[in-house]
Amino acid sequence: PGRRRMTAVAEVEPGLYDIPAELYHADPIPGGSLSSSGARTLIKKCPAAFKWQLDNPQPHNKALELGTAAHKLVLDDGPELVLVDAEKWNTDSIRAEVAAIRAAGDIPLKRHELDQIHAMAAALRQHEEAAALLEPGSGVAEQSAFWDDNGIWRRARFDWLRDDGQIVDYKTARSCRREDLEKAFHEHGYAQQQEWYIDAGVALDVADPEKPFKFVLQEKDPPYLVVVTTCDPMARGIGRHLNEVALNTYAICRDSGEWPGYLPNPMISLPSWVERQYA
């Protein structure tokens, strides 16, 4: 109660939109909107870092590009995958070809990368639960959601929204071992993302809150193992709380026009596990 005092005047109606990823990430909401990744930056770092990222969109990232390529084959949606059949991309002609492909909105890949993406998609189709969740024709891919939450516009982009109202998010991972996933979920704020996307689905009445949100995670190295999972109740509660903190922080900074850095740290402690070791 009492949070998010700022109001944003927007010509966009709340809803689900089938728009290109570039338009979604550029944020078509007049006055701006907050995404899950933005909320996670506010939590993991500080408002100053969030504002800098907002004002300085970064160029392509190779790891992100490979993840997007995997999305294309698994979800059958996204930029085209274009083979650049040269082992090294260090000549002027190859660099120009790669730049032209990216400028056209497509993804250039070396042969071994394209083979890797195809092998990942084939392995995923062999995983019974993942294949059923992402079955072609059972939903729609890459839908962008925009909604007004008490004066703050929020946005989300669903990987896969099933016709039965279930939200599915596909991610590549270095390791799907339980301990490694726990660290990754914490490091990347996936509990926050899960709750953010559930909020979007419920706000726009496009998701069934009784159907559990599912992450489909796949390793990027052979044999491209797959795990299907969701956040437990404790993780979900933490995710919801952190999203509230992020929304309040965003509202206060937007109202004041000030985006502060980190809080003062006059003294630094060692990690708690080190202190326990010496207690």
Side-chain angles (χ1 to χ4, degrees):
R3 67 175 174 85
R4 310 203 282 282
R5 299 180 306 279
M6 187 207 78
T7 59
V9 178
E11 300 300 324
V12 181
E13 289 290 323
L16 202 63
Y17 291 83
D18 186 9
I19 59 175
E22 294 77 16
L23 179 56
Y24 169 81
H25 292 299
D27 191 1
I29 300 294
S33 63
L34 185 62
S35 67
S36 171
S37 58
R40 284 176 274 169
T41 298
L42 286 167
I43 292 298
K44 284 177 60 182
K45 301 199 78 173
C46 61
F50 167 84
K51 187 65 165 61
W52 188 89
Q53 290 181 10
L54 202 63
D55 295 340
N56 298 273
Q58 296 301 292
H60 85 279
N61 171 289
K62 190 62 181 176
L64 185 62
E65 206 168 53
L66 286 172
T68 303
H71 273 69
K72 167 65 177 179
L73 288 190
V74 169
L75 304 174
D76 193 28
D77 190 278
E80 293 301 315
L81 311 183
V82 181
L83 173 65
V84 179
D85 204 2
E87 190 57 37
K88 293 184 178 180
W89 292 358
N90 56 0
T91 66
D92 288 344
S93 61
I94 293 292
R95 287 195 190 102
E97 181 182 353
V98 168
I101 291 168
R102 288 186 176 130
D106 298 327
I107 297 179
L109 295 171
K110 295 179 179 179
R111 182 167 293 281
H112 73 88
E113 293 170 335
L114 191 59
D115 290 344
Q116 172 191 356
I117 298 303
H118 278 282
M120 290 175 67
L124 189 140
R125 286 192 289 270
Q126 296 302 311
H127 189 283
E128 186 175 352
E129 185 179 7
L133 284 170
L134 298 172
E135 181 183 3
S138 67
V140 287
E142 305 293 352
Q143 298 296 294
S144 296
F146 300 90
W147 75 106
D148 185 339
D149 181 4
N150 294 325
I152 291 292
W153 277 88
R154 297 168 64 180
R155 71 183 194 273
R157 188 169 171 89
F158 299 116
D159 277 356
W160 188 249
L161 185 60
R162 289 177 52 85
D163 296 337
D164 62 7
Q166 187 168 28
I167 302 169
V168 185
D169 196 78
Y170 170 68
K171 295 187 183 299
T172 55
R174 288 189 298 271
S175 168
C176 286
R177 194 175 69 118
R178 182 183 181 89
E179 295 86 347
D180 295 329
L181 283 183
E182 288 174 351
K183 291 176 184 176
F185 269 55
H186 173 64
E187 178 184 352
H188 300 301
Y190 289 163
Q192 277 186 261
Q193 182 195 348
Q194 175 168 329
E195 295 310 295
W196 193 275
Y197 281 34
I198 289 171
D199 282 354
V202 171
L204 298 177
D205 196 26
V206 296
D208 183 349
E210 298 302 315
K211 290 190 177 294
F213 180 107
K214 290 289 187 178
F215 287 102
V216 174
L217 301 119
Q218 184 172 30
E219 292 185 351
K220 292 181 281 188
D221 294 315
Y224 309 114
L225 298 172
V226 175
V227 166
V228 177
T229 191
T230 191
C231 291
D232 70 14
M234 174 64 80
R236 293 191 61 186
I238 292 170
R240 283 195 301 273
H241 169 72
L242 293 177
N243 284 339
E244 284 294 317
V245 173
L247 283 160
N248 282 321
T249 301
Y250 178 78
I252 291 167
C253 291
R254 285 291 300 269
D255 281 345
S256 67
E258 297 178 1
W259 302 87
Y262 297 114
L263 294 172
N265 288 293
M267 297 182 73
I268 293 293
S269 302
L270 294 177
S272 58
W273 65 267
V274 176
E275 294 184 355
R276 287 195 302 270
Q277 193 175 53
Y278 280 83

